[in-house]
Amino acid sequence: MATEKEQNQVRIQLTTSQLDIALPEKTGPILVNTNFRRYALSSLVNTILGNEKPVPLDFLINGTFVRSSLDDYLTQHGISPETTIYLEYVKAAVPPVHLASFEHDDWVSSVDVLSETSAAGTLGREPDLQKPGHESILSASYDGLLRVWNMSSQVMAISPSAENGGHVSSIKATKFISSSQIASSGTDRTVRVWKYRATSDDSPPSINPHIELYGHKASVDALAVHQPSSRILSASADHSAGVWSMRKSDAPAAPESCLPSNLTRSVKRRKIGPSVSTVQRGPLALLKSHSAPVSSVIFAPTDPTIAYSASWDHTLKTWDLPTSTPVDTRSTSHSLLSLVALPTLNLVATGTSARHITLIDPRASATSIVAMTLRGHTNAVVSLAIDPNSTYSLASGSHDGTCRVWDVRSTKTEKEGRVGQSMYSIGRESVGGESRVSGDGVKVFGIVWDADVGIVSAGEDKRVQINRGKNIGLNSQK
């Protein structure tokens, strides 16, 4: 005999923005049992569409994924079953699977991708980028070298050693500026700009020194680049953020106090070899307001004259770059270790030492500092990347040895409010995906998410790892 709960019904109106799975226009409200969950709702939609091969679907109410029965969801959110429920559906995501790993001789600190759809790729005119499989992976290692890889795990180019103009110690961050330029920084306190040349008919790929930038007095641990304005931002353990020019003509002279000790006051170039020298320049500005190491810095996605910086001093600061002035400070309860913007949502995501991700509204008009907290990691969250295909998704890299994929619409309600849950956890393939709470030997140091390549991460296991899923974070609204 059916229980009273099973006999309850609710009227739903199914909608989607994905035209290839849209229901006929005249499809009206449908009466369904309130004990329906995702699978039953997915079967209903596929039946109406007449799909011979069912398409797995996810469902949202008021922008939040339904992860329980309709009855439980309505009860939890105080929604009356007497009203018509507008139920939005999207194609369900396919979990990221391991595609490849590139082995190094030492820890891998940072990674970036050059593809047809990456920020750097759209600025260059490299015809090969338009061919599938011709993307490039850039990695930075604690051995002091940059490497550019092809998708067949072959090293295409390596930066020079310290004796030939390279970093003199570990590299902590690197970015493709364009298809012909690379930026890097490290524990040698420098920011460097390199000329990158891909394969041509008459010469192999190469990474050559272009400009050395001096000004920081401690390790330079993170970078952001904005090629249209020829600007680089840096985050340093000396408690400051740097603003630099990629152009020799715009950059001021390097501070004498920051130059290598073997240089005289009149030297402006460092000799590399018999016929090669590297231009040395200083910062356009050093942004000083933090009281502890600056862990990350980014340009505001809609205005390159605005920057955000995150620090171990628990604060997120907003900077006006033309005046080098901090215009806003948001204080949190924990050290902030990483930073990425979610522009459509007007939020900034910050990875913390407290194992969670805090979503902050940096706008002056915001009434509260923390918009949401994403929980799931078991160690510090040191790297973040946004989903290039979604308004709502991001990926994180943590010292617990995992990358996690998040959708801010996937939430649960706890005492402190709405808390985000990760959709997927990606372990390190070097240990068979094994989970390690402390992350010993498999800490993730860097992560980037590319529309063509997938989720690329760098770690303590001396590997770059590539994972790729499908339909992750598909926008429910266009």
Side-chain angles (χ1 to χ4, degrees):
M1 183 175 180
T3 65
E4 180 180 349
K5 184 176 181 178
E6 290 173 334
Q7 293 175 336
N8 289 337
Q9 293 184 314
V10 65
R11 193 178 303 275
I12 62 171
Q13 179 69 59
L14 294 162
T15 65
T16 186
S17 62
Q18 298 172 22
L19 298 180
D20 57 333
I21 56 171
L23 296 177
E25 289 186 10
K26 295 182 179 180
T27 304
I30 301 170
L31 201 63
V32 300
N33 287 335
T34 55
N35 64 355
F36 268 32
R37 293 175 176 266
R38 186 184 70 84
Y39 180 79
L41 292 167
S42 185
S43 298
L44 172 63
V45 174
N46 277 282
T47 298
I48 297 173
L49 291 173
N51 291 333
E52 293 184 6
K53 184 178 180 180
V55 178
L57 301 170
D58 273 321
F59 296 83
L60 304 96
I61 298 176
N62 296 331
T64 301
F65 280 110
V66 178
R67 299 303 189 194
S68 62
S69 69
L70 289 175
D71 184 73
D72 289 343
Y73 184 94
L74 298 178
T75 300
Q76 185 178 20
H77 291 82
I79 301 173
S80 171
E82 302 298 324
T83 62
T84 298
I85 307 301
Y86 285 83
L87 203 61
E88 187 177 8
Y89 61 95
V90 296
K91 292 177 183 176
V94 176
V97 296
H98 177 255
L99 292 185
S101 293
F102 304 163
E103 295 188 21
H104 294 62
D105 297 326
D106 207 337
W107 295 357
V108 188
S109 57
S110 182
V111 68
D112 201 11
V113 174
L114 180 65
S115 72
E116 185 182 10
T117 56
S118 68
T122 58
L123 296 170
R125 298 182 180 180
E126 192 64 45
D128 280 349
L129 289 180
Q130 299 175 12
K131 304 174 184 177
H134 282 68
E135 302 86 4
S136 297
I137 307 293
L138 170 65
S139 63
S141 175
Y142 274 67
D143 64 8
L145 299 176
L146 299 170
R147 293 172 175 84
V148 176
W149 308 71
N150 63 20
M151 293 303 292
S152 298
S153 72
Q154 296 173 313
V155 178
M156 304 300 291
I158 302 178
S159 63
S161 63
E163 294 77 14
N164 294 300
H167 282 280
V168 299
S169 56
S170 299
I171 304 177
K172 297 297 293 293
T174 190
K175 298 279 187 184
F176 275 115
I177 298 171
S178 68
S179 60
S180 60
Q181 281 190 309
I182 291 170
S184 65
S185 66
T187 57
D188 60 5
R189 307 179 181 184
T190 66
V191 176
R192 297 172 186 246
V193 179
W194 308 80
K195 289 290 188 182
Y196 171 62
R197 183 174 59 191
T199 304
S200 63
D201 294 335
D202 56 353
S203 61
S206 62
I207 303 173
N208 297 307
H210 182 52
I211 308 175
E212 293 177 355
L213 299 170
Y214 292 87
H216 282 301
K217 297 181 179 180
S219 177
V220 187
D221 299 328
L223 294 173
V225 298
H226 186 257
Q227 198 274 346
S229 64
S230 297
R231 294 293 184 264
I232 299 173
L233 298 177
S234 59
S236 175
D238 67 5
H239 303 187
S240 74
V243 186
W244 315 81
S245 175
M246 304 174 194
R247 292 194 292 254
K248 301 174 185 178
S249 58
D250 291 348
E256 297 289 346
S257 61
C258 295
L259 291 172
S261 58
N262 63 333
L263 294 179
T264 64
R265 295 185 62 84
S266 62
V267 173
K268 295 295 186 292
R269 294 171 179 260
R270 179 166 67 84
K271 285 291 183 180
I272 295 174
S275 60
V276 183
S277 61
T278 304
V279 172
Q280 296 170 331
R281 292 289 187 267
L284 297 172
L286 290 177
L287 310 179
K288 298 181 178 180
S289 180
H290 286 291
S291 59
V294 181
S295 56
S296 188
V297 63
I298 59 173
F299 289 95
T302 58
D303 185 353
T305 67
I306 300 295
Y308 302 115
S309 61
S311 171
W312 293 15
D313 66 9
H314 300 191
T315 67
L316 170 74
K317 291 184 180 288
T318 303
W319 298 86
D320 177 68
L321 294 181
T323 61
S324 304
T325 304
V327 295
D328 187 74
T329 299
R330 299 296 164 108
S331 297
T332 69
S333 302
H334 308 284
S335 294
L336 305 181
L337 309 179
S338 50
L339 192 59
V340 75
L342 302 173
T344 306
L345 302 179
N346 295 312
L347 297 174
V348 172
T350 59
T352 73
S353 60
R355 308 181 300 278
H356 60 255
I357 300 165
T358 301
L359 302 186
I360 298 173
D361 188 340
R363 295 174 297 177
S365 59
T367 56
S368 61
I369 295 176
V370 178
M372 186 189 298
T373 301
L374 310 181
R375 299 188 184 277
H377 281 297
T378 59
N379 208 329
V381 183
V382 297
S383 187
L384 295 168
I386 59 170
D387 181 346
N389 296 315
S390 173
T391 297
Y392 305 97
S393 297
L394 66 155
S396 56
S398 168
H399 281 178
D400 65 11
T402 69
C403 297
R404 287 180 180 260
V405 178
W406 311 81
D407 188 310
V408 299
R409 300 168 297 180
S410 181
T411 65
K412 61 180 179 180
T413 302
E414 295 187 352
K415 291 181 180 179
E416 63 267 36
R418 208 157 53 111
V419 175
Q421 307 173 90
S422 65
M423 298 177 66
Y424 304 107
S425 178
I426 304 170
R428 301 305 286 175
E429 194 67 21
S430 59
V431 291
E434 172 190 337
S435 176
R436 297 181 179 181
V437 174
S438 64
D440 289 344
V442 291
K443 292 180 176 67
V444 176
F445 297 137
I447 191 170
V448 64
W449 195 338
D450 182 77
D452 295 329
V453 176
I455 297 171
V456 186
S457 56
E460 188 183 17
D461 58 1
K462 306 179 183 179
R463 297 189 183 197
V464 167
Q465 179 171 310
I466 303 175
N467 293 79
R468 186 184 298 162
K470 187 178 180 182
N471 300 331
I472 296 174
L474 279 177
N475 287 335
S476 61
Q477 298 176 352
K478 300 290 186 181

